[in-house]
Amino acid sequence: MKTIIAACSQNLSGSRASIKTALRTLLAVPWPSQRDIGSALQLLAVLQWVLSFLLLGIVSLLLLIYLLFTSLWLIPVLYLAWIIFDWDTPEKGGRRLSCLRRWTVWKHFRDYFPVKLVKTHDLSPSHNYIIGSHPHGILCVGAFCNFITGSTGFEELFPGIRSYLTTLAGNFRLPLFREYLMSGGLFPVTRRAIGYLLSQKGTGNAVAIVIGGAAESLSCRPGVTTLILKNRKGFVRMALRHGAFLVPSFSFGENDLFRQVVFEEGSWMRSIQRRFQKMMGFAPCLFYGRGLTSCRSRGFLPYARPITTVVGEPLPVPKVENPSRELVDRYHELYIRALLKLFNENKTKYGLSESDELHIL
């Protein structure tokens, strides 16, 4: 009996010693610093944004189709009825939700790169504006962060101005994704939608349009500043019809977020990209960024490169219901001059050299 008690005592002593050792080892392990936690939150914020834009629409559509063949079939049927009833809402300003625009996640998203908004001139709330956003890049990070989220302080820098951002109309045909886009202030890049905001919502509206579009994304690569703008005049015509002032903006660093396999003009792969773009509205780019676990690995997340979006001086535009081609060409030329001036005055401040030029095609 004494032998058993002694053995138990030794085991208990050994267990206590093991527990103490484990606790000392645990306490010796360095806890994540505030900087490490911040970096992790920034990475997760960017991850959810990329997955939302790449997968949310398709996954939602497939899920609703699947539910049609289950006992939960009533859910997709009711949602389909809602979409039919709500079909024109994206064309009529959408449904902005201030709480989503000021979501804390967007501050972590901003700090990952980081993204900064620079104001050069005031925008009066007594006018409406069309902001030309350049360049397109791969995923328009600068335009989204500055004009859709409140993380960079657009409303504080431009009091009385409500910012919106246009995107492909096809995105608003995808279930749930359309609600996500509208809640942030995104709407279709169509004449009807832009015209509604510039004529039916009073003044103080700033509609940001990524003018280069999908065609420009095909030329996106670090160190190259090429814009598709020479024959893009629809935004000028819209500005004239509604008397909306034109405002150039440029996001320095946008083209540095991803690496893209660029196919030369005339190659068969380039031809496939062009045809796909004409049919679907967007271009299938072969690009890569950093991985989820390491910035040295390859993946689909953007590299952490600073983006500075500079908003230039507004160009006053008269209201002309049916502007002539000559008038459109004149204001288009004035806009290009203002954009070139903005680029040249700020390029050396935000990562480019004096010899870098802005190429407009």
Side-chain angles (χ1 to χ4, degrees), residues 74-297:
L74 188 58
I75 294 176
V77 170
L78 290 175
Y79 185 73
L80 178 60
W82 162 253
I83 287 182
I84 295 174
F85 173 78
D86 195 55
W87 191 259
D88 287 337
T89 299
E91 302 275 352
K92 296 181 178 180
R95 282 187 296 270
R96 289 162 54 102
L97 295 177
S98 297
C99 58
L100 184 63
R101 289 170 66 93
R102 295 187 175 277
W103 197 15
T104 304
V105 169
W106 301 131
K107 294 182 180 179
H108 298 301
F109 179 87
R110 171 201 65 195
D111 294 338
Y112 170 83
F113 298 96
V115 181
K116 182 182 178 183
L117 180 64
V118 175
K119 166 186 172 181
T120 61
H121 292 79
D122 291 329
L123 298 182
S124 171
S126 61
H127 299 289
N128 284 325
Y129 303 90
I130 290 181
I131 300 178
S133 179
H134 311 274
H136 182 285
I138 296 294
L139 293 179
C140 303
V141 173
F144 176 87
C145 191
N146 288 299
F147 303 127
I148 291 302
T149 79
S151 61
T152 56
F154 182 92
E155 294 180 356
E156 289 74 23
L157 287 173
F158 303 101
I161 304 297
R162 298 174 297 276
S163 61
Y164 298 85
L165 179 64
T166 60
T167 186
L168 293 174
N171 289 329
F172 295 90
R173 305 294 179 255
L174 295 172
L176 298 183
F177 191 44
R178 69 191 295 273
E179 322 298 340
Y180 178 74
L181 295 177
M182 284 193 291
S183 63
L186 283 144
F187 67 96
V189 59
T190 62
R191 291 181 182 178
R192 181 186 176 192
I194 297 172
Y196 184 89
L197 275 175
L198 296 178
S199 62
Q200 303 296 322
K201 302 285 280 187
T203 59
N205 300 296
V207 178
I209 304 175
V210 186
I211 298 168
E216 194 171 277
S217 66
L218 294 177
S219 301
C220 168
R221 50 183 167 178
V224 177
T225 47
T226 301
L227 304 183
I228 306 298
L229 179 58
K230 188 174 292 185
N231 295 317
R232 300 290 175 99
K233 300 179 182 180
F235 73 103
V236 178
R237 186 171 287 105
M238 288 296 297
L240 285 164
R241 284 177 177 172
H242 299 282
F245 288 15
L246 289 169
V247 183
S249 73
F250 196 93
S251 294
F252 294 91
E254 182 73 46
N255 285 349
D256 298 331
L257 304 183
F258 293 96
R259 301 291 183 268
Q260 181 180 185
V261 179
V262 178
F263 300 100
E264 296 299 327
E265 290 291 346
S267 65
W268 65 274
M269 280 298 297
R270 191 69 163 198
S271 299
I272 291 176
Q273 288 178 313
R274 295 290 189 192
R275 290 177 184 175
F276 192 94
Q277 174 203 330
K278 290 180 179 178
M279 289 188 296
M280 304 300 294
F282 65 94
C285 302
L286 298 180
F287 66 90
Y288 65 89
R290 59 157 290 177
L292 181 61
T293 57
S294 171
C295 60
R296 296 181 180 86
S297 60

Side-chain angles (χ1 to χ4, degrees), residues 4-16:
I4 295 173
I5 293 173
C8 289
S9 298
Q10 290 178 358
N11 287 338
L12 288 172
S13 298
S15 298
R16 291 193 190 99

Side-chain angles (χ1 to χ4, degrees), residues 65-76:
I65 293 174
Y66 168 76
L67 291 177
L68 277 174
F69 301 95
T70 68
S71 58
L72 300 175
W73 60 269
L74 188 58
I75 294 176

